[in-house]
Amino acid sequence: MSAIVAATAGAAVIAATPASGAASTLGAAAQQSGRYFGTAVAANKLGDSTYVGILNREFDMVTAENEMKMDATEPNQGQFSYGNADRIVNQARNQGKRVRGHALAWHSQQPGWMQNMSGTALRNAMLNHVTQVASYYRGKIYAWDVVNEAFADGSSGGRRDSNLQRTGNDWIEAAFRAARSADPGAKLCYNDYNTDNWSHAKTQGVYRMVQDFKSRGVPIDCVGFQAHFNSGNPVPSNYHTTLGNFAALGVDVQITELDIEGSGSSQAQQYQGVTQACLSVARCTGITVWGIRDSDSWRASGTPLLFDGSGNKKAAYNSVLGVLNNGTGTTTPTTTTTTSGNPGGGGCTATYSEGEKWSDRFNGNVTVSGTDNWVVTVTVSSPQRVIATWNTSATWGSANVMTARPNGSGNTFGFTVQHGGNWNWPTVSCQVG
Ligand code: 9MR
């Protein structure tokens, strides 16, 4: 189980019914903060009315799951084929949705003729492919995955060996330059998997490449994080750090192929954590899930998506919608606890209210009633940490538990929590001292 799951374990998952005034679909909820919520679409499912019904209702961004890959769009060298890709692009655009283009250059899903090429011939064929496909769709694509999955797994932090890589280390920047010339209005992304955890060598390798591209003026606008998670590759607790650090290089970040194997509240909490991580980074511009129903997934047996095989919303759907709607993804908060303790009768009440929020921290306020002689226990959940207090005298029982007493400033005090991506409200309880 990932740290982020542990951090939210025990917390109630967002209520199924959005509060009044809240948006009732993923796309509309994401738009409230200027973001999008997308899905991968397969052309051969566009005749399925349940599928299309959910697609049209919920999502405002579309990625072709396979139809824009190199083998689909250039099956024979110099002969381009856009039929299935066009069906997806036209369906999306007719419904007012935007399109992510996936993917112009990749070591995988190459047409047979390309797999056997090398050297200058392959480099030129790749560049021609990028130019032709990006030109054909010029003006219709929000963001292109210009290069997909070019880094090696494991501890090297270097490039993946492939026929494209063997044409020279500059093949990636050459692809980006060709894409920029062909479709100057599209955002150009580098897209990869296993780059979610900030401490992984692969993440660091991609980071260094983006940093280098930015410093040398190679045209790159965004980095896509595929985000295929399961128990062996869990949602990292430092996800917001990864997204934030890439964004600080001057690129947008996008979660491009999200799916999380599992079920029930555990899956819902992990989806919640990923959504919160995106919302905590201003330049995280949107999230795309890799399919609609579990049965549509490339790994259907892992039930990794937001709708079940019948098209019903899962707990994970409700948690994502809730986070998108309230901006912070707070679970149903525990605000107030009253405890007795006064031998003379009566007790006291401590009420928590939210203060300012930042990407890395938030403020909370506690107001006490019933006594001037209070002892309030504030409990935060890992990895949260209280880093400042005011209008109280505080001591710590453990890193997570703070005991607050009056310091002569009245019966309202405050504190700052460094949240580490966990936006859950602290719990407070009051005893008469
Ligand atoms: O979901 C896609 C599946 O239908 C294809 O068979 C497979 C091979 O092209 O690609 C899957 O999508 C992949 C995506 O294009 C790139 N990142 C990993 C995705 C899951 O394998």
PDB file of all heavy atoms in Angstrom, residues 40 42 63-66 69 71 102-103 106 108-109 145 148-149 191-193 226 228 256-257 259 290 296-299, ligand 1:
ATOM      1  N   ALA A  40      -9.129   8.239 -22.623  1.00  0.00           N
ATOM      2  CA  ALA A  40      -8.744   7.576 -23.867  1.00  0.00           C
ATOM      3  C   ALA A  40     -10.013   7.038 -24.511  1.00  0.00           C
ATOM      4  O   ALA A  40     -10.917   6.553 -23.823  1.00  0.00           O
ATOM      5  CB  ALA A  40      -7.780   6.430 -23.583  1.00  0.00           C
ATOM      6  N   ALA A  42     -11.489   4.595 -27.851  1.00  0.00           N
ATOM      7  CA  ALA A  42     -11.188   3.629 -28.904  1.00  0.00           C
ATOM      8  C   ALA A  42     -12.224   3.777 -30.009  1.00  0.00           C
ATOM      9  O   ALA A  42     -13.430   3.771 -29.741  1.00  0.00           O
ATOM     10  CB  ALA A  42     -11.211   2.206 -28.343  1.00  0.00           C
ATOM     11  N   THR A  63      -8.220  11.414 -25.851  1.00  0.00           N
ATOM     12  CA  THR A  63      -6.988  10.887 -26.449  1.00  0.00           C
ATOM     13  C   THR A  63      -7.345   9.623 -27.220  1.00  0.00           C
ATOM     14  O   THR A  63      -8.068   8.769 -26.686  1.00  0.00           O
ATOM     15  CB  THR A  63      -5.959  10.503 -25.368  1.00  0.00           C
ATOM     16  OG1 THR A  63      -5.730  11.610 -24.505  1.00  0.00           O
ATOM     17  CG2 THR A  63      -4.644  10.072 -25.985  1.00  0.00           C
ATOM     18  N   ALA A  64      -6.876   9.504 -28.451  1.00  0.00           N
ATOM     19  CA  ALA A  64      -7.070   8.255 -29.189  1.00  0.00           C
ATOM     20  C   ALA A  64      -6.202   7.183 -28.535  1.00  0.00           C
ATOM     21  O   ALA A  64      -4.989   7.360 -28.417  1.00  0.00           O
ATOM     22  CB  ALA A  64      -6.681   8.439 -30.647  1.00  0.00           C
ATOM     23  N   GLU A  65      -6.834   6.080 -28.112  1.00  0.00           N
ATOM     24  CA  GLU A  65      -6.060   5.078 -27.366  1.00  0.00           C
ATOM     25  C   GLU A  65      -4.985   4.440 -28.241  1.00  0.00           C
ATOM     26  O   GLU A  65      -3.881   4.169 -27.761  1.00  0.00           O
ATOM     27  CB  GLU A  65      -6.991   4.001 -26.790  1.00  0.00           C
ATOM     28  CG  GLU A  65      -6.242   3.016 -25.907  1.00  0.00           C
ATOM     29  CD  GLU A  65      -7.138   2.043 -25.178  1.00  0.00           C
ATOM     30  OE1 GLU A  65      -8.367   2.109 -25.354  1.00  0.00           O
ATOM     31  OE2 GLU A  65      -6.595   1.206 -24.426  1.00  0.00           O
ATOM     32  N   ASN A  66      -5.275   4.182 -29.508  1.00  0.00           N
ATOM     33  CA  ASN A  66      -4.305   3.548 -30.409  1.00  0.00           C
ATOM     34  C   ASN A  66      -4.254   4.159 -31.808  1.00  0.00           C
ATOM     35  O   ASN A  66      -3.306   3.903 -32.549  1.00  0.00           O
ATOM     36  CB  ASN A  66      -4.658   2.049 -30.563  1.00  0.00           C
ATOM     37  CG  ASN A  66      -4.393   1.269 -29.284  1.00  0.00           C
ATOM     38  OD1 ASN A  66      -3.262   1.227 -28.802  1.00  0.00           O
ATOM     39  ND2 ASN A  66      -5.425   0.676 -28.725  1.00  0.00           N
ATOM     40  N   LYS A  69      -1.226   6.281 -33.317  1.00  0.00           N
ATOM     41  CA  LYS A  69       0.138   5.750 -33.184  1.00  0.00           C
ATOM     42  C   LYS A  69       0.738   5.543 -34.575  1.00  0.00           C
ATOM     43  O   LYS A  69       0.029   5.510 -35.576  1.00  0.00           O
ATOM     44  CB  LYS A  69       0.097   4.451 -32.373  1.00  0.00           C
ATOM     45  CG  LYS A  69      -0.306   4.725 -30.923  1.00  0.00           C
ATOM     46  CD  LYS A  69      -0.509   3.470 -30.091  1.00  0.00           C
ATOM     47  CE  LYS A  69      -0.931   3.860 -28.673  1.00  0.00           C
ATOM     48  NZ  LYS A  69      -1.307   2.685 -27.842  1.00  0.00           N
ATOM     49  N   ASP A  71       1.988   3.040 -36.172  1.00  0.00           N
ATOM     50  CA  ASP A  71       1.566   1.910 -37.008  1.00  0.00           C
ATOM     51  C   ASP A  71       0.184   2.147 -37.606  1.00  0.00           C
ATOM     52  O   ASP A  71      -0.122   1.653 -38.688  1.00  0.00           O
ATOM     53  CB  ASP A  71       1.609   0.585 -36.233  1.00  0.00           C
ATOM     54  CG  ASP A  71       0.770   0.602 -34.960  1.00  0.00           C
ATOM     55  OD1 ASP A  71       0.258   1.674 -34.565  1.00  0.00           O
ATOM     56  OD2 ASP A  71       0.623  -0.476 -34.352  1.00  0.00           O
ATOM     57  N   HIS A 102      -1.718  11.434 -29.519  1.00  0.00           N
ATOM     58  CA  HIS A 102      -0.868  10.386 -28.923  1.00  0.00           C
ATOM     59  C   HIS A 102      -0.617   9.318 -29.966  1.00  0.00           C
ATOM     60  O   HIS A 102      -1.556   8.680 -30.382  1.00  0.00           O
ATOM     61  CB  HIS A 102      -1.602   9.793 -27.725  1.00  0.00           C
ATOM     62  CG  HIS A 102      -0.920   8.620 -27.109  1.00  0.00           C
ATOM     63  ND1 HIS A 102       0.144   8.756 -26.260  1.00  0.00           N
ATOM     64  CD2 HIS A 102      -1.148   7.294 -27.202  1.00  0.00           C
ATOM     65  CE1 HIS A 102       0.526   7.549 -25.834  1.00  0.00           C
ATOM     66  NE2 HIS A 102      -0.237   6.647 -26.403  1.00  0.00           N
ATOM     67  N   ALA A 103       0.568   9.131 -30.350  1.00  0.00           N
ATOM     68  CA  ALA A 103       1.845   9.767 -30.056  1.00  0.00           C
ATOM     69  C   ALA A 103       2.637   9.808 -31.365  1.00  0.00           C
ATOM     70  O   ALA A 103       2.521   8.906 -32.175  1.00  0.00           O
ATOM     71  CB  ALA A 103       2.608   8.962 -29.025  1.00  0.00           C
ATOM     72  N   TRP A 106       7.747   6.965 -31.094  1.00  0.00           N
ATOM     73  CA  TRP A 106       7.754   5.983 -30.008  1.00  0.00           C
ATOM     74  C   TRP A 106       8.536   4.768 -30.495  1.00  0.00           C
ATOM     75  O   TRP A 106       8.453   4.411 -31.664  1.00  0.00           O
ATOM     76  CB  TRP A 106       6.289   5.612 -29.701  1.00  0.00           C
ATOM     77  CG  TRP A 106       6.024   4.784 -28.482  1.00  0.00           C
ATOM     78  CD1 TRP A 106       6.861   4.537 -27.445  1.00  0.00           C
ATOM     79  CD2 TRP A 106       4.793   4.097 -28.192  1.00  0.00           C
ATOM     80  NE1 TRP A 106       6.225   3.744 -26.506  1.00  0.00           N
ATOM     81  CE2 TRP A 106       4.951   3.465 -26.943  1.00  0.00           C
ATOM     82  CE3 TRP A 106       3.578   3.960 -28.863  1.00  0.00           C
ATOM     83  CZ2 TRP A 106       3.944   2.690 -26.353  1.00  0.00           C
ATOM     84  CZ3 TRP A 106       2.570   3.205 -28.275  1.00  0.00           C
ATOM     85  CH2 TRP A 106       2.748   2.580 -27.026  1.00  0.00           C
ATOM     86  N   SER A 108       7.816   1.865 -29.658  1.00  0.00           N
ATOM     87  CA  SER A 108       6.852   0.766 -29.750  1.00  0.00           C
ATOM     88  C   SER A 108       5.765   1.115 -30.758  1.00  0.00           C
ATOM     89  O   SER A 108       5.612   2.270 -31.136  1.00  0.00           O
ATOM     90  CB  SER A 108       6.254   0.547 -28.358  1.00  0.00           C
ATOM     91  OG  SER A 108       5.372  -0.534 -28.362  1.00  0.00           O
ATOM     92  N   GLN A 109       4.987   0.133 -31.152  1.00  0.00           N
ATOM     93  CA  GLN A 109       3.887   0.343 -32.115  1.00  0.00           C
ATOM     94  C   GLN A 109       4.385   1.024 -33.383  1.00  0.00           C
ATOM     95  O   GLN A 109       3.673   1.815 -33.990  1.00  0.00           O
ATOM     96  CB  GLN A 109       2.750   1.150 -31.481  1.00  0.00           C
ATOM     97  CG  GLN A 109       2.135   0.514 -30.255  1.00  0.00           C
ATOM     98  CD  GLN A 109       1.622  -0.886 -30.510  1.00  0.00           C
ATOM     99  OE1 GLN A 109       2.063  -1.848 -29.905  1.00  0.00           O
ATOM    100  NE2 GLN A 109       0.683  -1.024 -31.419  1.00  0.00           N
ATOM    101  N   ASP A 145       1.668  14.336 -27.619  1.00  0.00           N
ATOM    102  CA  ASP A 145       2.763  13.540 -27.064  1.00  0.00           C
ATOM    103  C   ASP A 145       3.739  13.373 -28.221  1.00  0.00           C
ATOM    104  O   ASP A 145       3.579  12.487 -29.072  1.00  0.00           O
ATOM    105  CB  ASP A 145       2.262  12.181 -26.573  1.00  0.00           C
ATOM    106  CG  ASP A 145       1.372  12.309 -25.343  1.00  0.00           C
ATOM    107  OD1 ASP A 145       1.547  13.285 -24.593  1.00  0.00           O
ATOM    108  OD2 ASP A 145       0.515  11.432 -25.143  1.00  0.00           O
ATOM    109  N   ASN A 148       7.209   9.513 -26.845  1.00  0.00           N
ATOM    110  CA  ASN A 148       6.627   8.685 -25.800  1.00  0.00           C
ATOM    111  C   ASN A 148       7.659   7.677 -25.289  1.00  0.00           C
ATOM    112  O   ASN A 148       8.332   7.011 -26.095  1.00  0.00           O
ATOM    113  CB  ASN A 148       5.430   7.924 -26.416  1.00  0.00           C
ATOM    114  CG  ASN A 148       4.495   7.322 -25.403  1.00  0.00           C
ATOM    115  OD1 ASN A 148       4.253   7.908 -24.344  1.00  0.00           O
ATOM    116  ND2 ASN A 148       3.966   6.144 -25.709  1.00  0.00           N
ATOM    117  N   GLU A 149       7.828   7.607 -23.975  1.00  0.00           N
ATOM    118  CA  GLU A 149       8.538   6.497 -23.313  1.00  0.00           C
ATOM    119  C   GLU A 149       9.974   6.302 -23.788  1.00  0.00           C
ATOM    120  O   GLU A 149      10.403   5.183 -24.068  1.00  0.00           O
ATOM    121  CB  GLU A 149       7.741   5.198 -23.501  1.00  0.00           C
ATOM    122  CG  GLU A 149       6.343   5.299 -22.943  1.00  0.00           C
ATOM    123  CD  GLU A 149       5.492   4.048 -23.160  1.00  0.00           C
ATOM    124  OE1 GLU A 149       5.985   3.066 -23.752  1.00  0.00           O
ATOM    125  OE2 GLU A 149       4.332   4.064 -22.724  1.00  0.00           O
ATOM    126  N   ASN A 191       6.093  12.389 -22.904  1.00  0.00           N
ATOM    127  CA  ASN A 191       5.170  11.554 -22.129  1.00  0.00           C
ATOM    128  C   ASN A 191       5.850  10.250 -21.709  1.00  0.00           C
ATOM    129  O   ASN A 191       6.521   9.616 -22.521  1.00  0.00           O
ATOM    130  CB  ASN A 191       3.963  11.231 -23.036  1.00  0.00           C
ATOM    131  CG  ASN A 191       2.799  10.600 -22.310  1.00  0.00           C
ATOM    132  OD1 ASN A 191       2.327  11.138 -21.308  1.00  0.00           O
ATOM    133  ND2 ASN A 191       2.315   9.470 -22.817  1.00  0.00           N
ATOM    134  N   ASP A 192       5.701   9.869 -20.436  1.00  0.00           N
ATOM    135  CA  ASP A 192       6.351   8.611 -20.008  1.00  0.00           C
ATOM    136  C   ASP A 192       5.630   8.018 -18.802  1.00  0.00           C
ATOM    137  O   ASP A 192       4.764   8.659 -18.203  1.00  0.00           O
ATOM    138  CB  ASP A 192       7.835   8.854 -19.697  1.00  0.00           C
ATOM    139  CG  ASP A 192       8.727   7.657 -20.048  1.00  0.00           C
ATOM    140  OD1 ASP A 192       8.251   6.499 -19.974  1.00  0.00           O
ATOM    141  OD2 ASP A 192       9.909   7.890 -20.397  1.00  0.00           O
ATOM    142  N   TYR A 193       6.017   6.787 -18.453  1.00  0.00           N
ATOM    143  CA  TYR A 193       5.460   6.095 -17.289  1.00  0.00           C
ATOM    144  C   TYR A 193       6.573   5.865 -16.262  1.00  0.00           C
ATOM    145  O   TYR A 193       7.760   5.989 -16.580  1.00  0.00           O
ATOM    146  CB  TYR A 193       4.810   4.749 -17.678  1.00  0.00           C
ATOM    147  CG  TYR A 193       5.796   3.733 -18.203  1.00  0.00           C
ATOM    148  CD1 TYR A 193       6.412   2.826 -17.337  1.00  0.00           C
ATOM    149  CD2 TYR A 193       6.134   3.690 -19.549  1.00  0.00           C
ATOM    150  CE1 TYR A 193       7.328   1.902 -17.805  1.00  0.00           C
ATOM    151  CE2 TYR A 193       7.045   2.775 -20.028  1.00  0.00           C
ATOM    152  CZ  TYR A 193       7.647   1.876 -19.142  1.00  0.00           C
ATOM    153  OH  TYR A 193       8.563   0.974 -19.615  1.00  0.00           O
ATOM    154  N   GLN A 226       2.071   9.326 -17.294  1.00  0.00           N
ATOM    155  CA  GLN A 226       1.044   8.356 -17.673  1.00  0.00           C
ATOM    156  C   GLN A 226       0.223   7.917 -16.467  1.00  0.00           C
ATOM    157  O   GLN A 226      -0.975   7.783 -16.544  1.00  0.00           O
ATOM    158  CB  GLN A 226       1.680   7.160 -18.371  1.00  0.00           C
ATOM    159  CG  GLN A 226       2.306   7.523 -19.708  1.00  0.00           C
ATOM    160  CD  GLN A 226       2.813   6.310 -20.468  1.00  0.00           C
ATOM    161  OE1 GLN A 226       2.594   5.158 -20.086  1.00  0.00           O
ATOM    162  NE2 GLN A 226       3.516   6.558 -21.560  1.00  0.00           N
ATOM    163  N   HIS A 228       0.051   4.903 -14.589  1.00  0.00           N
ATOM    164  CA  HIS A 228      -0.558   3.565 -14.523  1.00  0.00           C
ATOM    165  C   HIS A 228      -0.143   2.941 -13.189  1.00  0.00           C
ATOM    166  O   HIS A 228       1.007   2.537 -13.020  1.00  0.00           O
ATOM    167  CB  HIS A 228      -0.062   2.688 -15.672  1.00  0.00           C
ATOM    168  CG  HIS A 228      -0.490   3.182 -17.020  1.00  0.00           C
ATOM    169  ND1 HIS A 228      -1.807   3.191 -17.418  1.00  0.00           N
ATOM    170  CD2 HIS A 228       0.213   3.682 -18.061  1.00  0.00           C
ATOM    171  CE1 HIS A 228      -1.900   3.669 -18.648  1.00  0.00           C
ATOM    172  NE2 HIS A 228      -0.683   3.988 -19.065  1.00  0.00           N
ATOM    173  N   THR A 256      -1.699  11.816 -17.927  1.00  0.00           N
ATOM    174  CA  THR A 256      -2.154  11.524 -19.289  1.00  0.00           C
ATOM    175  C   THR A 256      -2.822  10.177 -19.500  1.00  0.00           C
ATOM    176  O   THR A 256      -3.525  10.001 -20.494  1.00  0.00           O
ATOM    177  CB  THR A 256      -0.965  11.622 -20.266  1.00  0.00           C
ATOM    178  OG1 THR A 256       0.100  10.798 -19.766  1.00  0.00           O
ATOM    179  CG2 THR A 256      -0.491  13.061 -20.420  1.00  0.00           C
ATOM    180  N   GLU A 257      -2.585   9.193 -18.607  1.00  0.00           N
ATOM    181  CA  GLU A 257      -3.135   7.854 -18.871  1.00  0.00           C
ATOM    182  C   GLU A 257      -3.543   7.194 -17.566  1.00  0.00           C
ATOM    183  O   GLU A 257      -3.325   6.002 -17.358  1.00  0.00           O
ATOM    184  CB  GLU A 257      -2.099   6.981 -19.595  1.00  0.00           C
ATOM    185  CG  GLU A 257      -1.579   7.598 -20.885  1.00  0.00           C
ATOM    186  CD  GLU A 257      -0.571   6.717 -21.624  1.00  0.00           C
ATOM    187  OE1 GLU A 257      -0.433   5.521 -21.283  1.00  0.00           O
ATOM    188  OE2 GLU A 257       0.072   7.237 -22.553  1.00  0.00           O
ATOM    189  N   ASP A 259      -4.788   5.225 -14.567  1.00  0.00           N
ATOM    190  CA  ASP A 259      -5.612   4.110 -14.109  1.00  0.00           C
ATOM    191  C   ASP A 259      -4.952   3.520 -12.875  1.00  0.00           C
ATOM    192  O   ASP A 259      -3.728   3.584 -12.722  1.00  0.00           O
ATOM    193  CB  ASP A 259      -5.893   3.057 -15.197  1.00  0.00           C
ATOM    194  CG  ASP A 259      -4.663   2.497 -15.884  1.00  0.00           C
ATOM    195  OD1 ASP A 259      -3.541   2.633 -15.352  1.00  0.00           O
ATOM    196  OD2 ASP A 259      -4.811   1.900 -16.965  1.00  0.00           O
ATOM    197  N   TRP A 290      -7.292   6.369 -18.578  1.00  0.00           N
ATOM    198  CA  TRP A 290      -6.991   5.550 -19.760  1.00  0.00           C
ATOM    199  C   TRP A 290      -8.141   4.593 -20.054  1.00  0.00           C
ATOM    200  O   TRP A 290      -7.990   3.376 -19.993  1.00  0.00           O
ATOM    201  CB  TRP A 290      -5.653   4.835 -19.581  1.00  0.00           C
ATOM    202  CG  TRP A 290      -5.012   4.502 -20.909  1.00  0.00           C
ATOM    203  CD1 TRP A 290      -4.672   3.262 -21.375  1.00  0.00           C
ATOM    204  CD2 TRP A 290      -4.625   5.433 -21.950  1.00  0.00           C
ATOM    205  NE1 TRP A 290      -4.114   3.360 -22.621  1.00  0.00           N
ATOM    206  CE2 TRP A 290      -4.067   4.682 -23.000  1.00  0.00           C
ATOM    207  CE3 TRP A 290      -4.709   6.813 -22.070  1.00  0.00           C
ATOM    208  CZ2 TRP A 290      -3.589   5.269 -24.177  1.00  0.00           C
ATOM    209  CZ3 TRP A 290      -4.236   7.406 -23.246  1.00  0.00           C
ATOM    210  CH2 TRP A 290      -3.694   6.632 -24.274  1.00  0.00           C
ATOM    211  N   ASP A 296     -13.342  -1.547 -20.590  1.00  0.00           N
ATOM    212  CA  ASP A 296     -12.656  -0.920 -21.728  1.00  0.00           C
ATOM    213  C   ASP A 296     -11.148  -0.859 -21.529  1.00  0.00           C
ATOM    214  O   ASP A 296     -10.419  -0.488 -22.449  1.00  0.00           O
ATOM    215  CB  ASP A 296     -13.153   0.529 -21.907  1.00  0.00           C
ATOM    216  CG  ASP A 296     -14.642   0.604 -22.157  1.00  0.00           C
ATOM    217  OD1 ASP A 296     -15.157  -0.229 -22.922  1.00  0.00           O
ATOM    218  OD2 ASP A 296     -15.295   1.498 -21.571  1.00  0.00           O
ATOM    219  N   SER A 297     -10.664  -1.204 -20.331  1.00  0.00           N
ATOM    220  CA  SER A 297      -9.263  -0.988 -19.998  1.00  0.00           C
ATOM    221  C   SER A 297      -8.331  -1.999 -20.663  1.00  0.00           C
ATOM    222  O   SER A 297      -8.679  -3.160 -20.839  1.00  0.00           O
ATOM    223  CB  SER A 297      -9.085  -1.078 -18.481  1.00  0.00           C
ATOM    224  OG  SER A 297      -7.705  -1.097 -18.154  1.00  0.00           O
ATOM    225  N   TRP A 298      -7.121  -1.548 -20.953  1.00  0.00           N
ATOM    226  CA  TRP A 298      -6.075  -2.457 -21.445  1.00  0.00           C
ATOM    227  C   TRP A 298      -5.725  -3.501 -20.390  1.00  0.00           C
ATOM    228  O   TRP A 298      -5.090  -4.503 -20.689  1.00  0.00           O
ATOM    229  CB  TRP A 298      -4.822  -1.673 -21.859  1.00  0.00           C
ATOM    230  CG  TRP A 298      -4.104  -0.980 -20.721  1.00  0.00           C
ATOM    231  CD1 TRP A 298      -4.591   0.039 -19.970  1.00  0.00           C
ATOM    232  CD2 TRP A 298      -2.796  -1.258 -20.215  1.00  0.00           C
ATOM    233  NE1 TRP A 298      -3.663   0.430 -19.013  1.00  0.00           N
ATOM    234  CE2 TRP A 298      -2.551  -0.347 -19.149  1.00  0.00           C
ATOM    235  CE3 TRP A 298      -1.792  -2.174 -20.554  1.00  0.00           C
ATOM    236  CZ2 TRP A 298      -1.360  -0.341 -18.418  1.00  0.00           C
ATOM    237  CZ3 TRP A 298      -0.601  -2.158 -19.830  1.00  0.00           C
ATOM    238  CH2 TRP A 298      -0.393  -1.260 -18.776  1.00  0.00           C
ATOM    239  N   ARG A 299      -6.081  -3.243 -19.131  1.00  0.00           N
ATOM    240  CA  ARG A 299      -5.892  -4.263 -18.095  1.00  0.00           C
ATOM    241  C   ARG A 299      -7.189  -4.397 -17.301  1.00  0.00           C
ATOM    242  O   ARG A 299      -7.251  -4.133 -16.102  1.00  0.00           O
ATOM    243  CB  ARG A 299      -4.685  -3.963 -17.216  1.00  0.00           C
ATOM    244  CG  ARG A 299      -4.563  -2.530 -16.766  1.00  0.00           C
ATOM    245  CD  ARG A 299      -3.283  -2.377 -15.976  1.00  0.00           C
ATOM    246  NE  ARG A 299      -3.226  -1.065 -15.328  1.00  0.00           N
ATOM    247  CZ  ARG A 299      -2.234  -0.690 -14.543  1.00  0.00           C
ATOM    248  NH1 ARG A 299      -1.222  -1.503 -14.301  1.00  0.00           N
ATOM    249  NH2 ARG A 299      -2.236   0.483 -13.965  1.00  0.00           N
TER     250      ARG A 299
HETATM  251  O1  9MR B   1      -4.206   0.871 -24.171  1.00  0.00           O
HETATM  252  C1  9MR B   1      -3.376   0.628 -25.277  1.00  0.00           C
HETATM  253  C2  9MR B   1      -3.569  -0.785 -25.768  1.00  0.00           C
HETATM  254  O2  9MR B   1      -4.877  -0.934 -26.315  1.00  0.00           O
HETATM  255  C3  9MR B   1      -2.523  -1.125 -26.823  1.00  0.00           C
HETATM  256  O3  9MR B   1      -2.623  -2.493 -27.163  1.00  0.00           O
HETATM  257  C4  9MR B   1      -1.128  -0.809 -26.304  1.00  0.00           C
HETATM  258  C5  9MR B   1      -0.076  -0.998 -27.368  1.00  0.00           C
HETATM  259  O4  9MR B   1      -0.147  -0.016 -28.346  1.00  0.00           O
HETATM  260  O5  9MR B   1      -1.067   0.538 -25.881  1.00  0.00           O
HETATM  261  C6  9MR B   1      -1.935   0.817 -24.842  1.00  0.00           C
HETATM  262  O6  9MR B   1      -1.758   2.173 -24.446  1.00  0.00           O
HETATM  263  C7  9MR B   1      -0.469   2.473 -23.950  1.00  0.00           C
HETATM  264  C8  9MR B   1      -0.133   3.882 -24.350  1.00  0.00           C
HETATM  265  O7  9MR B   1      -0.247   4.030 -25.744  1.00  0.00           O
HETATM  266  C9  9MR B   1       1.250   4.289 -23.885  1.00  0.00           C
HETATM  267  N1  9MR B   1       1.426   4.079 -22.471  1.00  0.00           N
HETATM  268  C10 9MR B   1       1.024   2.771 -21.974  1.00  0.00           C
HETATM  269  C11 9MR B   1      -0.393   2.437 -22.411  1.00  0.00           C
HETATM  270  C12 9MR B   1      -0.840   1.114 -21.825  1.00  0.00           C
HETATM  271  O8  9MR B   1      -0.060   0.060 -22.288  1.00  0.00           O
END
